[in-house]
Structure formats: C-alpha cells, structure tokens
C-alpha cells in the first residue's frame, strides 16, 4: 500500500471531522440574537469605557523573553541526552560542545542586548515613586 494514501486519508479525516462538527453545531444550536451578545464584554457586567486600553509594552517584552528562554531550555535538555551518548560512543568533545556553545552565546548576547536596551528593567509607577519618597 502506498504510504501517501494513508497520509491523504488522515488529512481528509482531519478536515472532515472539524467541518462536520461545525456543520452539525450550526444546524442544531438555537439562534437567539441579542444586542448584549455583541457587546465587548459579555458576562453580565455593564461595559464601561472603550475597548482600546493601552497596555505597558513591558508585559509583552517579559513574555517574549520568557518564550525565548523557555525554548532554550526545551532545546538544551534533548541535546544533553543525545550528545551524552555520543560522547560515550567515542565522538570528540569539540564537535559535540561547539554547536551548543554557539547557541547559548547567541541567546546570552540577545539577553545582554535586551538588558542594555532596558527590556528587562521594569518601569516605576508614580505610586511606587511617591511611596519611596515618603519613606525618606
């Protein structure tokens, strides 16, 4: 049997199941149009203010840095397992260690750049500044 037939069948099933579920749901669900369903925040609370709220960019920077270093951790653990057995198999240390050192060096350089540009330095709020001055 050709393996592409199995892959095509799996792709077809992977598309038909969600489309079928959405079709059955569209046919069976009740339709009750209300203005409150179109509101920005639908939980029984009366929405106040606009939907455009300015968030501090540092939340995104912290999330981005966390994602980068989380991926680093995910890549380092398998590397230690694979190359640990390669060292036991007689491979020299240089070809095993150099790629990971380059990878870690690039990440440390990125962290140094982010640190230098103030991405990891949290901005002081006006309230915390007044509390610090009140303690003096």
């Amino acid at each position: 049997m050709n393996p592409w037939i199995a892959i095509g069948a799996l792709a077809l099933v992977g598309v038909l199941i969600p489309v079928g579920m959405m079709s059955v749901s569209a046919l069976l669900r009740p339709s009750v149009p209300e203005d409150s369903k179109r509101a920005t925040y639908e939980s029984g609370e009366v929405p106040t203010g606009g939907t455009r709220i300015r968030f501090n960019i540092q939340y995104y920077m912290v999330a981005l840095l966390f994602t980068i270093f989380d991926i680093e951790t995910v890549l380092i653990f398998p590397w230690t397992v694979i190359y640990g057995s390669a060292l036991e198999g007689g491979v020299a240390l240089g070809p095993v260690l150099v790629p990971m050192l380059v990878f870690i060096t690039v990440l440390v350089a990125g962290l140094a750049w982010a640190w230098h540009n103030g991405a990891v330095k949290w901005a002081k709020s006006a309230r915390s500044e007044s509390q610090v001055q009140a303690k003096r």
Side-chain angles (χ1 to χ4, degrees), residues 67-97:
T67 303
I68 289 170
F69 289 103
D70 190 40
I71 291 171
E72 173 192 8
T73 304
V74 167
L75 292 175
I76 287 177
F77 281 143
W79 174 83
T80 57
V81 172
I82 292 170
Y83 288 112
S85 62
L87 286 175
E88 291 172 1
V91 179
L93 183 64
V96 172
L97 194 59

Side-chain angles (χ1 to χ4, degrees), residues 7-136:
I7 293 172
L10 183 64
L12 186 65
V13 168
V15 170
L16 287 180
I17 287 177
V19 168
M21 292 172 84
M22 288 189 296
S23 301
V24 169
S25 174
L27 292 173
L28 296 179
R29 71 173 176 241
S31 176
V32 184
E34 293 180 10
D35 287 337
S36 62
K37 288 186 176 181
R38 294 187 187 100
T40 304
Y41 186 61
E42 178 198 344
S43 71
E45 295 291 325
V46 177
T48 57
T51 58
R52 300 288 180 177
I53 300 172
R54 298 192 79 166
F55 286 102
N56 191 345
I57 189 69
Q58 288 174 329
Y59 291 113
Y60 301 110
M61 293 302 296
V62 168
L64 184 63
L65 288 172
F66 172 77
T67 303
I68 289 170
F69 289 103
D70 190 40
I71 291 171
E72 173 192 8
T73 304
V74 167
L75 292 175
I76 287 177
F77 281 143
W79 174 83
T80 57
V81 172
I82 292 170
Y83 288 112
S85 62
L87 286 175
E88 291 172 1
V91 179
L93 183 64
V96 172
L97 194 59
V98 168
M100 187 50 65
L101 287 177
V102 169
F103 177 69
I104 291 174
T105 303
V106 168
L107 287 172
V108 168
L111 177 62
W113 178 82
W115 199 315
H116 176 71
N117 287 330
V120 294
K121 182 180 178 185
W122 202 259
K124 304 269 184 188
S125 67
R127 191 172 100 189
S128 67
E129 297 261 339
S130 64
Q131 289 174 350
V132 169
Q133 289 177 357
K135 289 182 181 180
R136 291 182 186 172

